Amino acid sequence: MNDAERSVQESATGQESAAERGMTVRREVLGDAHVDRAMASTTGFTAPFQDLITRYAWGEIWSRPGLTRAERSMITLTALAVLRQDEELALHTRAALRNGLTREQIGEVLLQVAVYAGVPASNRAFAIAQRVLAETETAAADGPADHT
């Protein structure tokens, strides 16, 4: 059974499809603003990739019961730091906070990276995480925006 057939079958039986589940989890972890921006910039060329990450990364992997979202965030931060994926690391630092990690736990993850993946990767990751944490603290101190 291909994905389209499975999606039709899941809809017919009342089960949530991987794409629906994925979009829910993606929004909970990354926030509506990020997901809305990603979806708004989707083109015919990028639509299959958006479907892939929503369906598989978020709907299948991030939705599994074997690890908590906080644990998944720790693993994701580690992988992104090691691979030096700076933009994704910033995005997932915000997600880690949303998933309940403290700034101290994020720091512990990045210290672990230094020992097992190298000081340069950890150094860069600390700089990115520090910037994100400072932005987050500034936004929290400013409070919700008043759009009246």
Side-chain angles (χ1 to χ4, degrees), residues 12-143:
T13 62
Q15 293 178 335
E16 186 178 39
S17 73
E20 292 167 329
R21 182 174 56 252
M23 187 56 72
T24 298
V25 172
R26 188 176 180 188
R27 287 184 177 282
E28 290 170 356
V29 173
L30 300 179
D32 288 331
H34 171 80
V35 176
D36 289 345
R37 280 190 307 274
M39 299 314 293
S41 66
T42 298
T43 66
F45 181 70
T46 63
F49 178 71
Q50 288 296 320
D51 180 63
L52 179 131
I53 59 175
T54 300
R55 184 181 303 270
Y56 295 103
W58 299 105
E60 296 291 340
I61 300 305
W62 274 83
S63 298
R64 293 178 58 80
L67 296 171
T68 66
R69 286 192 185 163
E71 291 167 331
R72 289 187 191 282
S73 281
M74 289 180 194
I75 294 165
T76 302
L77 291 175
T78 300
L80 294 172
V82 170
L83 295 171
R84 297 181 185 197
Q85 298 297 312
D86 298 355
E87 289 182 31
E88 288 286 318
L89 180 60
L91 172 68
H92 279 278
T93 299
R94 288 183 200 90
L97 293 168
R98 198 174 281 110
N99 285 334
L101 267 65
T102 65
R103 61 183 293 121
E104 291 77 18
Q105 288 173 310
I106 292 169
E108 289 297 324
V109 168
L110 301 181
L111 285 172
Q112 192 83 4
V113 166
V115 172
Y116 288 96
V119 171
S122 182
N123 185 44
R124 181 141 184 95
F126 263 104
I128 292 164
Q130 178 59 39
R131 177 180 46 99
V132 169
L133 294 171
E135 290 168 2
T136 303
E137 290 168 0
T138 299
D142 291 343

